[in-house]
Amino acid sequence: MSEHQHICMGCGVKVQTENPEELGYAPTSALEKEMIICQRCFRLKHYNEVQDVSLTDDDFLKILNEMGKSDALIVMIVDIFDFNGSWLPGLHRFVGSNKVLLVGNKVDLLPKSVKHSKLIHWMKHEAKELGLKPEDVFLVSAAKGMYVRETAAAIDEHRNGKDVYVVGCTNVGKSTFINRIIKEVTGENDVITTSHFPGTTLDIIKIPLDDEKSLIDSPGIINHHQMAHFVDKQDLKIITPKKEIKPKVFQLNEGQTLFFGGLARFDYISGGRRSFVCYVSNELNIHRTKMENADELYEKHVGEMLTPPRMNQIESFPELVKQEFIIKEAKTDIVFSGLGWITVNEPGAKVAAYVPKGVQALIRKSLI
Ligand SMILES: Nc1nc2c(ncn2[C@@H]2O[C@H](COP(=O)(O)OP(=O)(O)OP(=O)(O)O)[C@@H](O)[C@H]2O)c(=O)[nH]1
Ligand SMILES: [Mg+2]
């Protein structure tokens, strides 16, 4: 090993050249490159294969504490498709007197008809309910590069010559967002490693700004209740939308059930014939049945017709837990955290949402 500690540009890990089985390994030849990346990042970039590494909650605490102690601008990113599931509930405790900007990413997934000004208003309202008072709120698509330039300009203005910490839950697109900014400035593509696997970035990565300060990428905080942790790695592609979601409308009678693969279930208990609009990944199979047959159908077909989960996961897959809701207000979403939501337009319906034990189901004012 050389005297100088190299850091992987892709994920922030400390590079070592001794043990290929351990974290941060890179062959000695990699150290001669201008941009050093570790073997894990190399495999992720070229083969889309991930080597599992789990940071502990202590690792995150250390980073958040450091952020709290520094004089910096904090940019919190949420996944607009999984707003509640990707929220960092305790963030305000670490903010100190630093300013916060809130960025909703992946706006490309929402139907084009959605008014951005309304959505920003909605985000401000939700943020306040959740105890955070951001200086400003933005909507972007880091992947498509939509509104990144405008947001970067606002960040530059708000940072007032300070460092910028980009924080958020795992998989919200922090690294993709920073890559976009780097591309805008230097023209370089995909400098930091990104992937659809949660837990890609392993330590903070400092991107130098033009005034000796840094734009800092950070490892995403793991929300243990995120749906992604209950789904096989290969099935993450099914539940994570990649394109604009096509809302699916179901006319349901009382006593009908919808299954979302085998991951979630929706019962329409009472309220007369009405329509329900489902916003989930286009790839996820929705199966309609009668409520009275639903338990049996699930028993029999989970893992095959109702998939994900996969057959070989059934043993360890948590049971679906039921929660009932009475829809009291027009335009309400029933949210299956990490999977999507169902919009009910008129009040007066009684419904039940089922999600794997540990995952959150909730109702909220409609996002769309
Ligand atoms: N549709 C869509 N997908 C996005 C967008 N931004 C990021 N993604 C995808 O979201 C996944 C996660 O992106 P990353 O940038 O690795 O997320 P991260 O927040 O850095 O994740 P960690 O490093 O694990 O904390 C990848 O599959 C990205 O392609 C976006 O604007 N739209
Ligand atoms: Mg990252």
Side-chain angles (χ1 to χ4, degrees):
M1 193 164 295
S2 65
E3 334 66 71
H4 179 71
Q5 177 63 66
H6 294 286
I7 301 289
C8 169
M9 191 62 229
C11 68
V13 76
K14 291 194 177 78
V15 172
Q16 52 95 7
T17 51
E18 334 263 81
N19 192 344
E21 302 307 317
E22 281 188 20
L23 195 56
Y25 176 76
T28 322
S29 60
L31 301 186
E32 283 146 30
K33 305 240 165 73
E34 197 187 330
M35 275 209 223
I36 299 170
I37 62 165
C38 72
Q39 191 177 54
R40 175 176 174 271
C41 281
F42 185 84
R43 288 197 185 143
L44 254 174
K45 273 190 177 162
H46 297 282
Y47 310 113
N48 210 19
E49 262 175 27
V50 76
Q51 195 181 337
D52 260 329
V53 186
S54 294
L55 299 183
T56 64
D57 292 346
D58 273 357
D59 297 324
F60 297 122
L61 270 179
K62 241 172 74 190
I63 292 167
L64 289 173
N65 274 323
E66 192 182 312
M67 176 185 86
K69 276 186 268 164
S70 46
D71 185 18
L73 174 69
I74 296 169
V75 176
M76 169 166 160
I77 305 205
V78 290
D79 177 346
I80 193 70
F81 177 70
D82 184 17
F83 187 87
N84 305 82
S86 68
W87 188 261
L88 292 184
L91 185 73
H92 57 273
R93 285 185 278 127
F94 296 97
V95 164
S97 56
N98 292 328
K99 284 200 215 167
V100 182
L101 299 181
L102 177 63
V103 177
N105 185 31
K106 310 197 185 182
V107 71
D108 57 292
L109 297 178
L110 301 183
K112 295 243 164 26
S113 56
V114 175
K115 284 250 176 353
H116 288 182
S117 55
K118 278 206 173 144
L119 203 51
I120 285 178
H121 184 77
W122 180 91
M123 282 170 67
K124 283 183 181 159
H125 173 264
E126 294 292 300
K128 204 169 148 205
E129 297 266 291
L130 291 161
L132 190 77
K133 280 225 190 69
E135 294 293 313
D136 211 344
V137 176
F138 302 90
L139 268 180
V140 303
S141 166
K144 299 267 160 13
M146 291 157 71
Y147 311 109
V148 171
R149 190 177 306 154
E150 294 83 340
T151 308
I155 289 173
D156 204 37
E157 205 164 289
H158 280 281
R159 80 182 178 92
N160 231 332
K162 297 175 188 173
D163 288 325
V164 182
Y165 274 87
V166 177
V167 297
C169 182
T170 181
N171 244 352
V172 295
K174 298 176 296 299
S175 302
T176 307
F177 178 68
I178 292 178
N179 276 344
R180 269 288 165 186
I181 296 181
I182 297 174
K183 188 181 155 74
E184 296 267 328
V185 179
T186 71
E188 254 174 301
N189 272 316
D190 302 327
V191 172
I192 303 175
T193 307
T194 64
S195 83
H196 66 274
F197 303 112
T200 303
T201 307
L202 297 179
D203 208 334
I204 61 169
I205 303 175
K206 293 189 172 179
I207 310 294
L209 297 169
D210 53 15
D211 55 2
E212 315 258 291
K213 296 292 174 186
S214 310
L215 175 60
I216 301 166
D217 191 8
S218 66
I221 292 167
I222 313 261
N223 268 349
H224 297 282
H225 57 80
Q226 268 182 305
M227 188 70 93
H229 304 304
F230 297 95
V231 174
D232 188 277
K233 277 201 198 79
Q234 290 157 287
D235 292 336
L236 279 176
K237 288 197 193 103
I238 298 178
I239 68 162
T240 318
K242 273 165 293 296
K243 289 193 293 208
E244 182 181 335
I245 302 165
K246 301 253 176 315
K248 295 196 185 81
V249 184
F250 286 86
Q251 295 290 337
L252 296 187
N253 295 319
E254 295 180 356
Q256 286 193 308
T257 290
L258 299 177
F259 278 107
F260 298 90
L263 295 173
R265 164 178 163 182
F266 172 74
D267 286 355
Y268 179 31
I269 300 168
S270 65
R273 186 172 167 80
R274 61 169 73 211
S275 59
F276 294 89
V277 191
C278 301
Y279 296 90
V280 295
S281 162
N282 303 337
E283 262 64 54
L284 183 66
N285 177 37
I286 306 180
H287 183 89
R288 182 207 296 237
T289 187
K290 283 196 180 131
M291 231 166 89
E292 59 196 55
N293 302 335
D295 285 340
E296 205 190 321
L297 187 92
Y298 191 76
E299 281 281 299
K300 260 197 192 152
H301 296 293
V302 64
E304 34 146 298
M305 183 177 75
L306 304 176
T307 181
R310 300 179 165 226
M311 215 45 175
N312 62 10
Q313 274 188 288
I314 300 297
E315 294 264 304
S316 60
F317 191 73
E319 57 173 329
L320 296 188
V321 180
K322 176 181 179 181
Q323 220 177 317
E324 282 191 6
F325 298 102
I326 293 174
I327 310 300
K328 298 202 178 101
E329 282 173 54
K331 301 222 176 285
T332 298
D333 292 339
I334 302 135
V335 180
F336 302 79
S337 203
L339 209 58
W341 63 90
I342 299 176
T343 303
V344 188
N345 285 323
E346 304 293 332
K350 187 174 175 191
V351 302
Y354 298 66
V355 284
K357 192 171 184 183
V359 176
Q360 209 184 7
L362 58 114
I363 55 174
R364 68 179 179 200
K365 192 169 162 342
S366 185
L367 173 141
I368 294 182

